[in-house]
Amino acid sequence: MTSAPANPDRESPDPAASDRAAARQVRTRAAAVAAAALTVGAGLGLRAMAAGDMAKYGGDALYTVLLLTLVVAVAPRLSPARAAAIALAVSWAVEFLQLGPVPAELSRRSTLARLVLGSTFNAPDLAWYTVGAAAGWLVHAALRRARYGTGSGAG
């Protein structure tokens, strides 16, 4: 039995590829954590500088952007679209949770719970979470393309 001839066009395995992939994940995680800190700063700045609907709905969008950055920090290999979808799903889940009494009760007891869970359901928040997820997806996809030259970020 004869073996098939080697294909000269086929690349040989790169032993350093896994090291580069691991380093890429570390850089992505670090960038996501930095982006999370910037997002929190932007949210606090928005609350300090704006009032009314601008502060409320801008904060809703930034809430989802923050969740997206945390998703990327935990799972840096997710596509931008999947990371945005997860952040949006969590945002919506938290909002729908507010239809029950638990978030309101926790919010009365804790400022942190009020910031994370809110207290009362507000349907327009759902749209603003979507705005935040879309904005975060666009930025994440653009950064990924610029840095790594990979895909459209749609997958």
Side-chain angles (χ1 to χ4, degrees):
M1 186 160 139
T2 61
S3 64
N7 183 348
D9 294 331
R10 187 174 175 179
E11 294 181 32
S12 60
D14 182 358
S18 65
D19 291 341
R20 284 194 304 274
R24 181 184 293 182
Q25 286 184 24
V26 168
R27 286 191 305 271
T28 300
R29 281 189 169 109
V33 169
L38 287 172
T39 303
V40 168
L44 293 172
L46 182 64
R47 298 284 280 193
M49 303 299 284
D53 287 347
M54 173 69 113
K56 173 164 183 16
Y57 295 124
D60 289 344
L62 287 170
Y63 178 83
T64 303
V65 171
L66 175 62
L67 289 175
L68 190 149
T69 65
L70 297 175
V71 167
V72 172
V74 170
R77 294 182 66 191
L78 283 178
S79 71
R82 286 191 178 158
I86 290 168
L88 181 59
V90 171
S91 297
W92 279 36
V94 168
E95 190 67 30
F96 282 111
L97 186 65
Q98 293 170 4
L99 289 169
V102 173
E105 180 57 33
L106 291 173
S107 292
R108 275 191 283 278
R109 296 177 187 209
S110 166
T111 301
L112 181 59
R114 185 171 46 256
L115 291 171
V116 173
L117 298 175
S119 60
T120 54
F121 179 81
N122 185 29
D125 290 354
L126 300 171
W128 288 99
Y129 296 144
T130 304
V131 168
W137 168 72
L138 289 171
V139 170
H140 184 199
L143 290 173
R144 185 181 245 192
R145 272 193 306 274
R147 187 167 193 171
Y148 304 119
T150 59
S152 67

